[in-house]
Amino acid sequence: MTNSKTFIENPGPPSDVERIKDESNYLRGTLEESFVDRTSAGISDDDNRLMKFHGSYMQDDRDLRTERQKQKLEPAYQFMVRIRAAGGIVTPEQWLTIDRLAKDYANGSIRLTTRQAIQLHGILKWNMKKSIQEMHESLLDTLAACGDVNRNVMLNPNPYQSKVHEEVYEWATKLSEHLSPKTRAYHEIWLDGEKFVDNNEEQEPIYGKHYLPRKFKIGIAVPPSNDIDVFSQDLGLIAILDDNQSLKGFNISTGGGMGMTHGDVETYPQIGRVIGFVTPDQLIDVAEKIVTIQRDYGNRSVRKNARFKYTIDARGLDWLKTELHERLGYELAEAEPFHFDHNGDRYGWVKGTNQTYHYTLFIQNGRIIDSEDYPLMTGLKEIAQVHTGDFRVTGNQNLIIANVKESEKEKIESLLEKYHLTDGKHYSALKRNSMACVAFPTCGLAMAESERYLPSLLEKIEVILSDAGLLEEDITIRMSGCPNGCSRPALAEIGLIGRGPGKYNLYLGAGFAGDRLNKLYRENVNEKQILEELTPIFNDYAKERHDGEHFGDFVVRKEYVKAVDNGLDFHL
Amino acid sequence: MQLQVLNSPFTDEQVDLLNKILPTLSNTQQIWLSGYLTGYQSQSADVPTVAQQQITSEKKVIELTVLYGSQTGNCQNLAEGFAGKLKDGGFKVNIASMNEFKPNQLKKLSHLLIVVSTQGEGDPPDNAIGFHEFLYSKRAPKLTDLNYSVLSLGDSSYDLFCYTGKQFDERLAELGANRIIPRVDCDLDYDEPAEQWYESVFHALQEESGTDATTAAVQSSELAQGEKVFSRTNPFYAEVYENINLNGRGSNKETRHLELSLEGSNLTFEPGDSIGIYPQNERHLAEKVIELLQLKEDEQVEVNKNVGHVSFVDALTHHVEITVLSKSLLEKLLPYTKDQAFSELVQSEDAEKLKEYIHGRDLVDLFSDFSSWTLTATDLITVLRKLPARLYSIASSYEANPDEVHLTIGKVNYEAHGRERNGVCSVQIAERVEPGDTLPIYVHKNPNFRLPEDDEAPIIMIGPGTGVAPFRAFVEHLDTIGSERKTWLFFGDQHYVTDFLYQTDWQGWLKNGSLTKLNVAFSRDQEEKDYVQHHLEKHAKDVYEWLEEGAHIYICGDEKHMAQDVHQTLLQIIQTEGQLSEDDAKTYVTHLQNQKRYQRDVY
């Protein structure tokens, strides 16, 4: 059963978030007043909704909630800011700014996200304005890093395809800029910009005053690497190269998305479906029209059914194509053939076609922090002080020191050595292919631990893998503290999604290249059960796998789980 | 304890019965019984009033004035108690605080009783400053017709012990006045000497007026009726309900929120009052003292008549002060050592040298730094003063929670002279008191820190750190009685996230309007220091407007820095906003003080 769905045509009254957007005067709300008020370190729920559009939201240290309540203290409110960087690229100067802000205002660490953005956590209310201003001075911004708008545009960092990367990167930035909110609210509130004289109609030519029904994600993959998980994007673009390895255009994939709600089968992860091909000059127009279709048809009543995937699944792909062609005034071309190998990162040094070198560092769960035996943050800071190329955050929360000239390579290498910065080659293949979202203590949605727990679980799984002789086998594993799926767990060969403290749903069988969803294998299991469930399957895999067969494919072939090629089959 | 027929109102048979039971009573039982009888009496029999009227008609009436200078309310409470008893004793009594009394009336008086305390380095209390100045001014009259006596309160750990009382006593004598009885200086444990002073004064006055001793006895027994069952001298053992650290993780501070049960105590209190807690010393300090003196922990010593005999280590732990040195204590210890260095220090010409030594040191230091001690356990207990109670502003409203009382206690510890030092009471509470334990407490009235009588008058409360405690009582009280009074709190501490004491309470009261305005200053969240006075300054216009509307202003907390800085800022605000000269601004503040619109509870 695929490609048909019976729910939501006329879902009901707008959700409360729609009211907030409506009353916000293009994302202003009462943010300015809230940030001056010193009687609380927090802001109101309404303002917090709007804050997301400004690339930040209020969190609190959930470890301390109960304790502080007893102490007659409000929750330890703090702000997360997400710095937008199309394609995950920042300059060394920008890196130094981020490093400084992390220490001056945030909790002393930097978090690389699964969508190539950079997060700072633990910023206090009265340091927010200063933080955003100092970012602005380094040409960094947070606008639309969260909220019901187009988010950070992802792009393969593609160090070894440096020539085509440059070309595609240009399109990524163009898309990002084109789909940025145009409201002056961000400048007024954070950068002391002049107050805009009211002329509302002109403020948001693409979005209008209610913006989108839900977040919207765009990612560009350059085959054979699918490290940005192109099929998890609302709008996925697959770069098609001609015989000279130059950019010919993009295949368009629509309606991918990870989020679901436990116990609600009307919500599900979905993989994008390819609907055609566009040339580069058509790209911006097509993207804009797709965004406006979601703007007009997306569910504004029930937020958990508001992502583009549900808009499409409720009406069918044919409807989407017709609507799109109508808005474009022309038809998309037939999709071009393509092939993906993997969705993970390739670590260590590679040489690009532009004769520069790129070093992919392994960053566990994207967390950059100094610890006693691993001064990662200091090491990167020192590298940034001498580096003349750029830094690239990968879709797997790793970091590439990119565009290192041959003459500079030795200098970078000596710093890597000095601080023992690692490409992770001595880690297990499982660890190198692992990903976890932030979850506790700061994420308000977390039901179970993720970033803080995955490393210790991996150590235990490694023992089983080692026994089975699979330590060098690339297997993707992703953990997420809740079913919203920031670490894209539904596209991992082993997926773990939090249910409650210490309890996870175990999913198996996604494609190694991120082209097939996984499927629920065991529900609500604890660590002991996870290990017990995996042991016999690993042993089986070690003995019975075909040559070159990935773990995800193996469990499907051996019928541990059914293949899920469409999200509509996820719960079947 | 033996009762005799001769000096008691009992029959032979009653005396026999009483003598059987009385010697078997423990100290606690005796205290309980006396409280019980007093309470029982106060509920019945108004007979003595009739007796009193008969007596007053027979004697010559002496008119006397009782003046008090009081900072924390101890002197006022004593003076009011004495005045009441004297009135009942048939005297005509006027009582006033020194700043309420018109000094030019002084030469018309025949009898004057002064009850006054000494602040810090020998300063008079706030409400005695004007009177003190007058006596030392050229306008001070000859007072040859005046009969007077002074009761002075102080703390012997300060250099200028009872200095203000001594000054009043000497100055009045210089002006020609005659002492009724000599001045009595009281240390922190003032109850007994104060009562003795009163008895002596009372007898002297009776002699003068020609009343007899029987009357006095009747009067005294009647006077007891006014006393509460539980008091400073008979503390209530309050159960601890809650003992919470109000500071969040990562704070430099530890501020305890203590909730105590008052159930069954009949204790009442008003916003502004304090609770006195009788603390205990750390046992290891007592043990160390004993070890240094090479004495025995389990030796029995007599603490005083009430307590009787206890082991030496218990006496040092529970009954006497061992964490503070004073000049007078060191002088008393002179005969007990042959250590030359010690006598040189104590008898040194250079007073600063001794002062410097005393500062921040305790008995353990003393007995380690000097040798050849020859004290016995009893000698030591005799020279040490009684472990004084610690006063903490009440942080809850009686109206809101009549059966409990909340306190806000900042844990004090620091390093000095190479050792970690702990505040006796605050560390006991922070580290050794758990819910379910009991603490001996009493209510300390603070008549100089009261909400305005006028229901409409706005209040401005300035209380950084633990200074915020009484304001929680204020606002909770106003919230409970449904007051519409305008209220404004200025609070400050080190860090917003961890040190915003009672944050959620204030937020709740802001929301429901019981708290009109709240301004907060956190000194260590940014490079520049941010203190409460900076926020007063920032809102100068509004502050002045509130004052002009009749606002009462309250300051609670640190005296040395905060209270003085705030005072200066207020003067500045009044000067600027009121467009007044510096002198006129001072007069404005004096006026506020005289109207009781500027009240402080500082420490």
Side-chain angles (χ1 to χ4, degrees):
Chain A
M1 179 199 126
T2 51
N3 286 344
S4 76
K5 199 69 187 172
T6 49
F7 66 97
I8 50 148
E9 264 300 335
N10 188 5
S15 72
D16 199 44
V17 180
E18 294 300 318
R19 171 194 59 80
I20 296 167
K21 288 186 269 189
D22 185 75
E23 293 169 359
S24 77
N25 183 23
Y26 293 90
L27 311 182
R28 287 170 179 83
T30 53
L31 282 172
E32 203 164 356
E33 297 89 313
S34 283
F35 273 80
V36 180
D37 175 21
R38 291 294 297 259
T39 62
S40 168
I43 58 175
S44 71
D45 289 348
D46 280 15
D47 280 338
N48 199 26
R49 282 287 182 181
L50 293 176
M51 252 329 255
K52 295 187 177 184
F53 291 83
H54 295 256
S56 169
Y57 45 91
M58 182 173 79
Q59 306 183 315
D60 73 281
D61 189 331
R62 293 177 62 185
D63 288 349
L64 303 181
R65 241 183 229 177
T66 329
E67 173 179 312
R68 286 179 63 91
Q69 191 179 9
K70 219 175 162 225
Q71 292 179 308
K72 302 178 193 295
L73 292 166
E74 67 181 10
Y77 291 126
Q78 46 186 252
F79 288 81
M80 181 282 290
V81 293
R82 188 178 292 159
I83 299 164
R84 211 165 45 136
I89 298 184
V90 293
T91 66
E93 293 73 34
Q94 289 174 327
W95 184 268
L96 291 173
T97 299
I98 294 165
D99 179 85
R100 180 170 50 79
L101 293 175
K103 287 167 191 154
D104 287 355
Y105 301 130
N107 63 3
S109 79
I110 299 169
R111 183 62 154 76
L112 309 180
T113 81
T114 55
R115 297 200 75 255
Q116 297 178 291
I118 297 169
Q119 282 179 189
L120 298 178
H121 291 260
I123 301 182
L124 295 176
K125 185 162 111 173
W126 34 92
N127 289 331
M128 279 293 290
K129 199 163 169 173
K130 282 185 270 190
S131 303
I132 292 179
Q133 284 179 348
E134 288 175 37
M135 283 176 206
H136 181 72
E137 283 162 21
S138 291
L139 304 178
L140 292 167
D141 76 78
T142 67
L143 176 63
C146 328
D148 298 339
V149 283
N150 175 50
R151 304 286 190 82
N152 197 36
V153 175
M154 294 185 76
L155 167 65
N156 287 122
N158 289 14
Y160 46 90
Q161 293 160 297
S162 44
K163 194 164 142 267
V164 74
H165 178 268
E166 257 171 61
E167 211 177 342
V168 182
Y169 176 63
E170 210 171 295
W171 287 108
T173 16
K174 274 185 193 163
L175 265 180
S176 174
E177 277 163 25
H178 187 75
L179 295 173
S180 268
K182 301 294 180 277
T183 174
R184 296 279 305 161
Y186 187 83
H187 284 79
E188 286 174 19
I189 295 169
W190 309 110
L191 308 174
D192 295 323
E194 227 175 284
K195 292 265 188 292
F196 192 74
V197 185
D198 199 10
N199 186 4
N200 286 347
E201 293 318 306
E202 285 309 303
Q203 290 210 352
E204 293 293 3
I206 297 174
Y207 292 121
K209 71 185 289 196
H210 296 112
Y211 294 84
L212 296 181
R214 200 71 168 80
K215 60 186 165 192
F216 195 88
K217 296 175 175 179
I218 299 180
I220 310 177
V222 186
S225 172
N226 186 23
D227 60 1
I228 61 112
D229 271 324
V230 75
F231 300 115
S232 72
Q233 315 286 338
D234 292 280
L235 171 57
L237 303 168
I238 302 158
I240 303 297
L241 310 186
D242 62 19
D243 297 341
N244 302 323
Q245 293 296 298
S246 288
L247 182 67
K248 187 175 164 194
F250 302 90
N251 276 355
I252 303 283
S253 156
T254 54
M258 290 289 99
M260 61 167 172
T261 306
H262 283 312
D264 183 351
V265 295
E266 308 232 307
T267 67
Y268 49 87
Q270 179 59 290
I271 51 176
R273 282 134 296 168
V274 176
I275 58 167
F277 170 86
V278 298
T279 54
D281 61 315
Q282 296 174 318
L283 178 67
I284 302 294
D285 191 26
V286 169
E288 180 187 313
K289 295 301 184 290
I290 287 175
V291 165
T292 61
I293 291 172
Q294 164 65 355
R295 178 196 67 194
D296 298 340
Y297 288 94
N299 186 331
R300 288 185 186 263
S301 181
V302 183
R303 286 184 65 79
K304 65 181 181 184
N305 290 130
R307 285 286 292 277
F308 192 35
K309 59 185 174 184
Y310 302 113
T311 314
I312 297 171
D313 290 348
R315 297 169 179 85
L317 273 185
D318 289 340
W319 163 84
L320 175 67
K321 284 186 212 165
T322 313
E323 183 72 28
L324 179 59
H325 295 162
E326 215 165 274
R327 292 187 184 214
L328 286 168
Y330 57 87
E331 293 200 0
L332 299 186
E334 280 290 310
E336 302 262 343
F338 63 91
H339 172 74
F340 286 123
D341 274 349
H342 59 88
N343 66 354
D345 286 343
R346 294 296 167 262
Y347 297 96
W349 284 110
V350 294
K351 190 177 178 186
T353 49
N354 64 355
Q355 305 307 311
T356 64
Y357 292 84
H358 313 270
Y359 188 85
T360 304
L361 272 169
F362 172 76
I363 313 281
Q364 186 152 36
N365 299 328
R367 180 68 67 183
I368 293 172
I369 189 167
D370 279 344
S371 68
E372 233 164 79
D373 48 356
Y374 195 51
L376 175 60
M377 195 164 172
T378 305
L380 285 172
K381 183 184 166 190
E382 297 235 343
I383 289 171
Q385 281 164 344
V386 300
H387 184 37
T388 54
D390 56 53
F391 289 100
R392 295 179 189 179
V393 180
T394 78
N396 292 299
Q397 307 170 318
N398 293 308
L399 189 69
I400 302 174
I401 304 160
N403 278 323
V404 180
K405 289 187 197 119
E406 179 136 32
S407 56
E408 316 255 311
K409 195 169 165 238
E410 208 173 308
K411 196 162 56 184
I412 301 294
E413 267 175 344
S414 74
L415 284 170
L416 288 172
E417 204 166 306
K418 180 177 171 194
Y419 291 99
H420 315 294
L421 304 191
T422 179
D423 58 7
K425 279 195 177 128
H426 60 289
Y427 293 139
S428 71
L430 184 76
K431 188 166 177 176
R432 290 196 304 264
N433 286 291
S434 68
M435 206 152 58
C437 69
V438 177
F440 284 104
T442 51
C443 178
L445 301 169
M447 298 170 171
E449 294 284 351
S450 182
E451 178 185 330
R452 295 197 294 198
Y453 169 57
L454 184 61
S456 75
L457 178 66
L458 287 181
E459 277 175 27
K460 288 166 189 160
I461 297 178
E462 280 163 0
V463 175
I464 313 173
L465 284 173
S466 173
D467 291 347
L470 295 171
L471 221 43
E472 290 312 310
E473 204 59 41
D474 282 306
I475 298 171
T476 55
I477 181 168
R478 294 173 179 179
M479 176 176 275
S480 184
C482 81
N484 289 288
C486 287
S487 59
R488 300 191 290 275
L491 286 170
E493 293 176 289
I494 302 171
L496 290 159
I497 299 182
R499 286 298 299 267
K503 292 286 183 72
Y504 297 84
N505 281 359
L506 171 63
Y507 300 82
L508 297 175
F512 185 73
D515 47 6
R516 182 180 63 235
L517 292 166
N518 55 24
K519 185 143 184 67
L520 181 64
Y521 182 64
R522 290 292 180 264
E523 202 171 356
N524 220 9
V525 286
N526 61 23
E527 180 179 280
K528 188 165 164 276
Q529 293 165 308
I530 292 169
L531 297 174
E532 279 169 5
E533 292 294 344
L534 288 176
T535 308
I537 309 178
F538 284 150
N539 290 335
D540 193 15
Y541 177 55
K543 285 182 213 128
E544 304 284 327
R545 67 187 150 154
H546 295 159
D547 210 23
E549 187 178 29
H550 283 292
F551 182 67
D553 299 334
F554 173 80
V555 294
V556 167
R557 178 171 64 82
K558 295 279 280 188
E559 295 182 348
Y560 286 98
V561 290
K562 278 189 197 159
V564 182
D565 293 309
N566 186 310
L568 294 170
D569 301 336
F570 186 77
H571 294 295
L572 291 181
Chain B
M1 185 180 275
Q2 269 299 310
L3 197 66
Q4 287 173 11
V5 190
L6 276 180
N7 64 359
S8 79
F10 302 111
T11 65
D12 286 357
E13 199 184 342
Q14 285 174 318
V15 167
D16 277 349
L17 284 170
L18 283 168
N19 276 337
K20 264 181 203 154
I21 180 83
L22 286 176
T24 69
L25 296 181
S26 73
N27 186 39
T28 331
Q29 288 171 326
Q30 288 171 22
I31 291 167
W32 186 91
L33 185 64
S34 79
Y36 174 79
L37 290 175
T38 319
Y40 180 75
Q41 258 184 318
S42 63
Q43 286 172 11
S44 57
D46 48 359
V47 182
T49 324
V50 182
Q52 176 202 326
Q53 280 169 351
Q54 291 166 346
I55 293 150
T56 36
S57 60
E58 287 169 18
K59 61 183 182 185
K60 163 191 163 191
V61 176
I62 293 178
E63 185 170 346
L64 51 89
T65 299
V66 181
L67 292 182
Y68 57 85
S70 187
Q71 193 76 36
T72 62
N74 284 330
C75 285
Q76 182 172 352
N77 290 333
L78 282 175
E80 283 170 351
F82 297 152
K85 288 198 262 185
L86 286 162
K87 265 183 211 166
D88 294 341
F91 298 100
K92 195 170 174 203
V93 185
N94 301 308
I95 174 164
S97 78
M98 288 179 179
N99 65 342
E100 287 165 345
F101 179 74
K102 290 199 174 70
N104 58 10
Q105 299 294 306
L106 194 56
K107 57 175 183 277
K108 296 180 188 162
L109 303 184
S110 66
H111 290 80
L112 172 66
L113 298 179
I114 284 183
V115 186
V116 70
S117 61
T118 300
Q119 304 308 301
E121 304 300 320
D123 300 322
D126 283 354
N127 60 7
I129 294 170
F131 186 62
H132 183 265
E133 270 175 20
F134 173 80
L135 279 186
Y136 278 90
S137 74
K138 284 184 182 146
R139 289 181 296 151
K142 282 278 161 218
L143 295 170
T144 41
D145 293 335
L146 180 69
N147 301 297
Y148 76 98
S149 187
V150 175
L151 177 69
S152 63
L153 268 61
D155 178 343
S156 66
S157 64
Y158 285 87
D159 250 11
L160 296 170
F161 173 57
C162 286
Y163 187 67
T164 304
K166 286 174 189 165
Q167 281 190 315
F168 276 121
D169 187 35
E170 280 161 23
R171 184 61 185 157
L172 287 169
E174 271 171 35
L175 294 170
N178 318 300
R179 290 188 184 95
I180 302 168
I181 61 145
R183 182 189 78 242
V184 170
D185 294 335
C186 307
D187 205 347
L188 294 180
D189 181 23
Y190 58 77
D191 301 271
E192 245 175 77
E195 194 55 37
Q196 278 163 11
W197 173 81
Y198 169 76
E199 290 295 337
S200 309
V201 168
F202 189 74
H203 282 289
L205 293 172
Q206 269 186 332
E207 239 166 69
E208 194 184 332
S209 64
T211 29
D212 60 27
T214 350
T215 325
V218 173
Q219 294 311 317
S220 314
S221 83
E222 190 217 351
L223 293 171
Q225 289 183 25
E227 286 180 9
K228 292 187 190 84
V229 179
F230 293 106
S231 67
R232 186 171 187 276
T233 46
N234 179 26
F236 173 68
Y237 279 77
E239 185 183 339
V240 176
Y241 279 157
E242 287 270 20
N243 183 358
I244 302 162
N245 179 11
L246 291 173
N247 296 98
R249 288 193 203 185
S251 174
N252 299 324
K253 295 194 165 183
E254 183 171 339
T255 313
R256 307 305 299 196
H257 173 73
L258 198 64
E259 297 186 358
L260 301 172
S261 165
L262 292 184
E263 229 177 304
S265 69
N266 287 325
L267 291 173
T268 63
F269 54 89
E270 288 174 71
D273 286 343
S274 301
I275 288 287
I277 299 180
Y278 286 103
Q280 295 182 356
N281 289 310
E282 291 172 276
R283 197 174 181 86
H284 72 91
L285 288 181
E287 288 166 356
K288 186 75 190 167
V289 166
I290 296 170
E291 184 196 317
L292 288 166
L293 294 175
Q294 295 177 306
L295 295 171
K296 289 202 173 70
E297 286 184 14
D298 52 4
E299 184 181 341
Q300 295 290 304
V301 289
E302 185 179 8
V303 176
N304 56 39
K305 293 212 172 64
N306 280 334
V307 176
H309 283 76
V310 298
S311 74
F312 189 29
V313 68
D314 280 346
L316 289 179
T317 310
H318 303 307
H319 299 290
V320 291
E321 187 172 61
I322 62 172
T323 50
V324 177
L325 300 181
S326 68
K327 190 178 170 205
S328 74
L329 172 65
L330 266 56
E331 281 167 353
K332 284 180 199 157
L333 286 171
L334 267 177
Y336 299 107
T337 175
K338 297 197 173 65
D339 191 330
Q340 278 300 313
F342 182 68
S343 47
E344 271 166 33
L345 174 75
V346 179
Q347 292 168 326
S348 162
E349 300 277 297
D350 184 2
E352 279 306 306
K353 223 173 119 189
L354 179 58
K355 203 172 160 184
E356 199 192 307
Y357 179 78
I358 286 171
H359 185 76
R361 286 192 167 86
D362 63 10
L363 282 188
V364 173
D365 296 304
L366 181 71
F367 294 138
S368 326
D369 293 345
F370 302 99
S371 56
S372 316
W373 295 100
T374 57
L375 299 104
T376 64
T378 306
D379 292 337
L380 184 61
I381 297 302
T382 314
V383 296
L384 293 177
R385 61 177 191 179
K386 192 178 156 190
L387 189 53
R390 283 3 185 222
L391 285 182
Y392 296 101
S393 304
I394 293 173
S396 63
S397 150
Y398 181 79
E399 269 68 22
N401 305 294
D403 284 335
E404 54 193 76
V405 65
H406 303 175
L407 304 176
T408 315
I409 299 173
K411 178 177 161 185
V412 178
N413 59 344
Y414 54 92
E415 210 193 284
H417 310 295
R419 253 180 50 219
E420 178 90 350
R421 313 281 162 156
N422 289 332
V424 176
C425 192
S426 67
V427 171
Q428 180 194 347
I429 284 163
E431 293 176 1
R432 308 197 298 277
V433 169
E434 286 175 11
D437 294 349
T438 57
L439 289 169
I441 65 158
Y442 63 92
V443 172
H444 174 89
K445 292 277 162 197
N446 190 356
N448 295 321
F449 208 75
R450 286 282 181 259
L451 281 165
E453 280 168 23
D454 173 6
D455 289 338
E456 305 278 302
I459 57 172
I460 298 174
M461 301 165 282
I462 302 159
T466 52
V468 83
F471 304 133
R472 185 171 180 265
F474 276 24
V475 179
E476 189 175 52
H477 173 85
L478 296 173
D479 181 56
T480 309
I481 63 168
S483 158
E484 311 234 310
R485 190 195 296 283
K486 285 208 297 180
T487 57
W488 190 351
L489 173 69
F490 290 86
F491 173 74
D493 214 308
Q494 289 187 354
H495 294 291
Y496 190 100
V497 176
T498 56
D499 306 333
F500 197 156
L501 306 183
Y502 300 114
Q503 181 183 25
T504 52
D505 289 341
W506 305 122
Q507 288 175 339
W509 288 320
L510 263 181
K511 213 171 166 189
N512 76 12
S514 293
L515 184 60
T516 318
K517 288 171 89 144
L518 171 64
N519 284 95
V520 292
F522 290 91
S523 58
R524 301 202 188 169
D525 278 341
Q526 60 288 308
E527 287 199 359
E528 336 71 62
K529 297 278 188 211
D530 192 25
Y531 293 120
V532 279
Q533 61 266 25
H534 301 134
H535 290 259
L536 279 168
E537 217 167 3
K538 217 184 281 176
H539 296 90
K541 195 167 163 284
D542 289 343
V543 170
Y544 187 72
E545 260 180 39
W546 280 48
L547 285 175
E548 287 289 283
E549 279 175 44
H552 289 225
I553 194 157
Y554 300 85
I555 303 172
C556 182
D558 169 70
E559 180 181 20
K560 274 203 183 103
H561 304 104
M562 184 277 294
Q564 290 184 15
D565 291 342
V566 166
H567 184 81
Q568 285 310 315
T569 306
L570 279 174
L571 279 172
Q572 193 56 50
I573 289 171
I574 290 161
Q575 208 181 322
T576 315
E577 295 299 320
Q579 297 180 324
L580 298 174
S581 69
E582 202 183 323
D583 282 348
D584 288 346
K586 278 184 186 160
T587 312
Y588 189 104
V589 171
T590 311
H591 184 62
L592 288 179
Q593 281 166 338
N594 291 340
Q595 289 184 308
K596 297 191 168 181
R597 285 175 53 204
Y598 183 62
Q599 301 187 12
R600 307 194 317 161
D601 179 3
V602 293
Y603 36 83

